[in-house]
Amino acid sequence: MRDVAKRAGVSVATVSRVLNDSGYVNEDTRKTVLAAIEEMNFKPNSVARSLFKKQSKTIGLIVPDINNPFFPQLARAVEDVTSESDFTVFLCNSDGKIDKEIRYFDMLQQKYVDGVLVVSNTLKPEHISHYNFPIIALDRPLDSTIPYVTCNNYEGARKATQHLIECGCVKVAHISGPENIANAKDRLKGYEDAVTEAGLYDKNLIFPAEYQIESAKQAAFKLLTKYPDIDGIFAGNDVMAIGVIKAAELLGYKVPEQLKVVGFDGIEFGDIISPELTTVSQPIYQMGSTAASMLLDLIEGRPIHQKETTFQVELLVKRSTQT
């Protein structure tokens, strides 16, 4: 900055005001300083600026499993919105472990991030109340005191299960997500209500698994081996549904002729597999961009008018249920 000031014939304070767009600077002087900056290819030290201003133009995004295609699609929306405001995103993969989540929060605070978006099913208010930046929960709520963006998981699960019943399935199973995750509980409840209303409820047809292909594949293998007359499966998310289809193939089931499968999320990968996956589609991009916009509002001191945002979902019928 001293070199720029010398080249432009102004004080270091004037250069600082130009760089930070703060305080009055004569327009001709501003142009002279900007010209000197360009001639010298001067780049402000972002680390030094964040230490001085206690602001870094960065945010954190903590997700449980970057291998799940749902989260990269979510991250893309967050990055698109924040980059328009010249923010950078730190992407953190927590594996759904509370110790890693807390460690990431500590690290992000040390780096003076301006806010954090987090997908978590383990954090409690007492774990994060002492951090001095705004926090938005994404995909699943943390607590009523923390703003969040999610979708109507219960209604989506009802639609998925009712669709299988309308397709003629009379023994509909559910491979549910982890029991400690809020959206998995909501999806399980939606399934239970739908099969109960149809007179088809059987607690033995509910099998919990992780939100992962291999875990769901093993669960489906056990379920179909024990109850070979199952003709419909609603899986807790799309990657689990893919695991179900793989297990069905190993056991010689034809999908959808003998077994119909529905997932949840609407990830792009569902259109690549064969047969194409019928799914409950979340507006993934809109959810990510909304959460990012809310966080930027809080960072900039603007009020958010809605602390709880729940998007509606849509059933997309494709080949995994169409005979």
Side-chain angles (χ1 to χ4, degrees):
M1 286 176 64
R2 283 193 295 268
D3 292 339
V4 170
K6 185 177 179 180
R7 172 73 68 93
V10 299
S11 67
V12 173
T14 297
V15 176
S16 177
R17 286 196 294 271
V18 171
L19 288 171
N20 294 301
D21 196 23
S22 62
Y24 174 76
V25 179
N26 177 278
E27 188 58 31
D28 289 339
T29 302
R30 183 183 300 277
K31 290 179 180 177
T32 301
V33 171
L34 292 175
I37 288 172
E38 186 173 354
E39 289 168 10
M40 299 179 68
N41 194 29
F42 173 71
K43 299 288 190 299
N45 186 315
S46 60
V47 175
R49 294 182 77 184
S50 66
L51 288 170
F52 177 72
K53 301 179 69 176
K54 300 295 188 289
Q55 189 179 46
S56 61
K57 298 287 284 187
T58 60
I59 69 163
L61 172 59
I62 303 175
V63 299
D65 184 8
I66 201 64
N67 285 323
N68 183 339
F70 174 81
F71 295 112
Q73 287 183 231
L74 207 60
R76 174 56 191 264
V78 170
E79 201 278 333
D80 282 353
V81 170
T82 54
S83 66
E84 289 179 2
S85 297
D86 296 323
F87 276 75
T88 301
V89 180
F90 283 120
L91 179 60
C92 308
N93 185 80
S94 71
D95 296 317
K97 298 177 180 177
I98 189 168
D99 57 332
K100 286 190 72 174
E101 291 170 343
I102 293 173
R103 194 159 68 245
Y104 277 133
F105 266 93
D106 289 340
M107 179 270 291
L108 292 168
Q109 178 162 263
Q110 290 168 13
K111 292 186 178 296
Y112 294 114
V113 298
D114 302 315
V116 170
L117 293 168
V118 58
V119 181
S120 172
N121 50 278
T122 56
L123 289 173
K124 305 295 182 187
E126 57 266 28
H127 296 136
I128 55 180
S129 60
H130 60 284
Y131 294 106
N132 57 1
F133 44 67
I135 298 168
I136 300 286
L138 187 50
D139 181 50
R140 54 199 76 159
L142 285 180
D143 180 79
S144 59
T145 62
I146 298 169
Y148 66 84
V149 176
T150 187
C151 78
N152 194 330
N153 292 284
Y154 171 81
E155 187 59 32
R158 278 180 61 91
K159 287 182 178 180
T161 308
Q162 287 170 345
H163 172 66
L164 288 169
I165 295 169
E166 289 166 2
C167 286
C169 298
V170 294
K171 198 158 189 173
V172 180
H174 177 44
I175 298 182
S176 62
E179 297 171 333
N180 63 327
I181 296 181
N183 59 21
K185 293 178 183 177
D186 289 341
R187 294 172 193 180
L188 171 59
K189 178 62 174 170
Y191 158 82
E192 288 179 327
D193 285 356
V195 290
T196 298
E197 289 171 9
L200 300 175
Y201 180 78
D202 182 347
K203 66 179 181 180
N204 295 313
L205 301 182
I206 301 170
F207 205 110
E210 298 299 317
Y211 274 155
Q212 299 168 351
I213 290 178
E214 189 58 34
S215 175
K217 180 180 174 182
Q218 293 175 10
F221 195 92
K222 293 175 183 177
L223 199 56
L224 290 170
T225 300
K226 190 172 183 179
Y227 303 102
D229 55 339
I230 288 173
D231 53 3
I233 295 181
F234 165 48
N237 71 3
D238 284 349
V239 295
M240 295 175 80
I242 293 169
V244 169
I245 290 173
K246 295 304 177 185
E249 288 176 351
L250 287 174
L251 291 169
Y253 284 82
K254 292 183 179 179
V255 178
E257 290 82 1
Q258 295 172 287
L259 178 69
K260 302 186 191 307
V261 181
V262 181
F264 198 116
D265 279 343
I267 60 174
E268 295 171 353
F269 198 73
D271 289 334
I272 299 173
I273 66 164
S274 180
E276 293 178 348
L277 182 64
T278 293
T279 183
V280 176
S281 176
Q282 302 188 60
I284 302 174
Y285 192 94
Q286 194 174 0
M287 288 167 61
S289 61
T290 298
S293 295
M294 289 170 63
L295 186 62
L296 291 179
D297 283 341
L298 292 177
I299 290 170
E300 299 297 337
R302 296 185 294 268
I304 55 174
H305 303 292
Q306 195 170 334
K307 289 187 66 175
E308 303 172 5
T309 303
T310 301
F311 285 96
Q312 296 306 309
V313 294
E314 179 185 5
L315 179 70
L316 300 180
V317 179
K318 299 186 180 177
R319 285 283 300 126
S320 70
T321 58
Q322 288 181 321
T323 51

